[in-house]
Amino acid sequence: MGMFNLTRLSEFILLGLSSQPEDQKPLFALFFIIYLVTLMGNLLIILAIRSDPKLQNPMYFFLSILSFADICYTTVIVPKMLMNFLSETKTIAYAECLTQMYFFLVFGNMDSYLLAVMAIDRYVAICNPFHYVTVMSHRRCVLLLSFSIAFSCLHSLLHVLLVNRLTFCASNVIHHFFCDVSPVLKLSCSSTSISELAAMTEGLVSVMAPFVCIIISYLQILIAVLKMPSAAGKHKAFSTCSSHLTVVTLFYGTIIYVYFQPLSSYNVNDRIATIIYTVLTSMLNPFIYSLRNKDMKRGLEKLISRIKSQTDKLSSTESNKIPGP
């Protein structure tokens, strides 16, 4: 680890969640199960939405994209983490580290903007229902999605290019389980003022803009719902928003805790908090949306029933092919 200069640095060491050898296999088992549940849960959400005609509307279109982004989000982080749990070296190549950082920021920002777009969708559905089809047209949904992807890619590229300018000469040990911006910046022996300024200005705007959009949308929804004369109408309006609000609280609560603090104060508690919005939120999203949404629950039941029916048919066909005595 010693003293490095920029030309000699070829890899980092990811310290991970624990440096104790006895913790590695239990942590591997835990995160392997979480990863499998995340993949299966989000894939089922996507398939249910794509296969059910009643779920072909903007809200579920964006939910399916959010599930896809969550699959990619965790895939950028967890497989490398799992490999390191079983490895003694726990190294990651310099280029691989920057690549991981880039795609982590891309899909993290996509999640943020998709949550904002879904809040706008709920606002239009509740506050302007008669113009919902016109306002949330397919063309407009595609434009909103395109903007989310384009801005996320440009935002991520900026921060990775700024990190790539730095000199690393004191240590190559990253006190984290993946290549996040803050722990990598802490290793630099050159000035990180430009990167920190970008994080506190452009980074702050890119995170807070969708969050403010969500707050404004829900304030408008709250005002509209309180004006409804029917208690049943109020309950229905709130029930359509509850899943989204739960995810927003989990996602933004931990992001604000981790990133809106000085670089010097970044510590082990931030690693634990990062697990919530990078791994646990992606795993919990399918459960939150399916358990608290009747349409989604019905779509999943139809999909599972269809899969079971197809499996039974295949089993029956295979058994009929087996010759008798």
Side-chain angles (χ1 to χ4, degrees):
M1 289 179 269
M3 298 296 290
F4 291 87
N5 59 39
L6 187 59
T7 57
R8 291 177 58 193
L9 181 64
S10 60
E11 63 184 22
F12 291 108
I13 296 172
L14 292 167
L15 195 62
L17 294 173
S18 172
S19 57
Q20 301 300 317
E22 63 271 18
D23 293 338
Q24 303 309 303
K25 287 184 179 179
L27 285 171
F28 173 86
L30 173 64
F31 282 94
F32 182 68
I33 292 168
I34 288 173
Y35 184 54
L36 287 181
V37 172
T38 301
L39 292 181
M40 292 300 297
N42 284 288
L43 188 59
L44 282 172
I45 290 286
I46 294 169
L47 292 174
I49 291 170
R50 296 300 181 194
S51 62
D52 192 341
K54 292 184 178 178
L55 299 180
Q56 303 303 308
N57 62 51
M59 183 175 83
Y60 296 111
F61 167 74
F62 289 118
L63 177 56
S64 66
I65 302 298
L66 180 67
S67 292
F68 173 76
D70 282 339
I71 289 173
C72 297
Y73 196 33
T74 51
T75 300
V76 167
I77 299 167
V78 178
K80 183 63 179 178
M81 188 201 307
L82 293 174
M83 288 172 61
N84 285 343
F85 283 140
L86 302 180
S87 172
E88 292 184 7
T89 56
K90 304 182 188 300
T91 57
I92 183 169
Y94 180 82
E96 187 184 350
C97 182
L98 292 187
T99 302
Q100 186 185 58
M101 184 186 295
Y102 175 76
F103 284 106
F104 160 73
L105 291 172
V106 166
F107 292 114
N109 275 272
M110 271 187 66
D111 267 13
S112 178
Y113 279 89
L114 285 169
L115 289 172
V117 170
M118 290 169 77
I120 294 170
D121 174 81
R122 290 299 83 208
Y123 160 72
V124 176
I126 293 170
C127 300
N128 200 5
F130 298 111
H131 296 92
Y132 178 76
V133 175
T134 307
V135 175
M136 298 303 294
S137 64
H138 180 72
R139 179 176 176 275
R140 191 157 294 168
C141 289
V142 171
L143 284 173
L144 287 168
L145 176 60
S146 301
F147 169 80
S148 300
I149 295 171
F151 190 88
S152 298
C153 291
L154 291 173
H155 163 83
S156 305
L157 184 62
L158 169 66
H159 288 277
V160 170
L161 289 175
L162 288 174
V163 170
N164 194 43
R165 292 174 62 252
L166 302 175
T167 302
F168 300 93
C169 54
S171 171
N172 66 342
V173 179
I174 299 174
H175 292 263
H176 213 338
F177 56 90
F178 72 101
C179 289
D180 200 359
V181 177
S182 295
V184 172
L185 289 180
K186 288 187 76 171
L187 299 182
S188 175
C189 57
S190 57
S191 174
T192 60
S193 57
I194 296 176
S195 294
E196 289 188 59
L197 181 64
M200 295 306 293
T201 53
E202 189 276 340
L204 182 66
V205 170
S206 69
V207 172
M208 291 308 294
F211 184 64
V212 169
C213 181
I214 291 169
I215 296 296
I216 292 171
S217 296
Y218 274 107
L219 284 174
Q220 294 293 325
I221 288 170
L222 181 62
I223 292 168
V225 170
L226 291 176
K227 290 180 180 178
M228 290 180 180
S230 165
K234 290 179 181 179
H235 176 74
K236 184 179 179 181
F238 280 127
S239 66
T240 61
C241 300
S242 60
S243 302
H244 183 257
L245 274 173
T246 305
V247 173
V248 166
T249 303
L250 278 172
F251 185 78
Y252 278 101
T254 47
I255 280 184
I256 290 169
Y257 173 79
V258 171
Y259 291 107
F260 293 173
Q261 58 179 310
L263 181 62
S264 58
S265 64
Y266 200 88
N267 56 41
V268 68
N269 292 330
D270 299 309
R271 274 185 271 166
I272 296 168
T274 304
I275 291 171
I276 296 174
Y277 77 85
T278 56
V279 180
L280 293 184
T281 303
S282 296
M283 182 189 73
L284 293 173
N285 278 359
F287 295 101
I288 293 169
Y289 279 104
S290 59
L291 294 175
R292 300 177 68 90
N293 186 302
K294 291 180 181 178
D295 292 336
M296 195 68 248
K297 190 186 293 185
R298 187 185 62 249
L300 282 169
E301 286 172 354
K302 284 183 179 179
L303 176 66
I304 293 168
S305 164
R306 196 177 298 123
I307 292 171
K308 187 179 178 182
S309 174
Q310 291 295 325
T311 305
D312 291 342
K313 284 181 181 178
L314 284 172
S315 299
S316 176
T317 303
E318 289 298 320
S319 63
N320 289 334
K321 287 181 180 179
I322 300 172

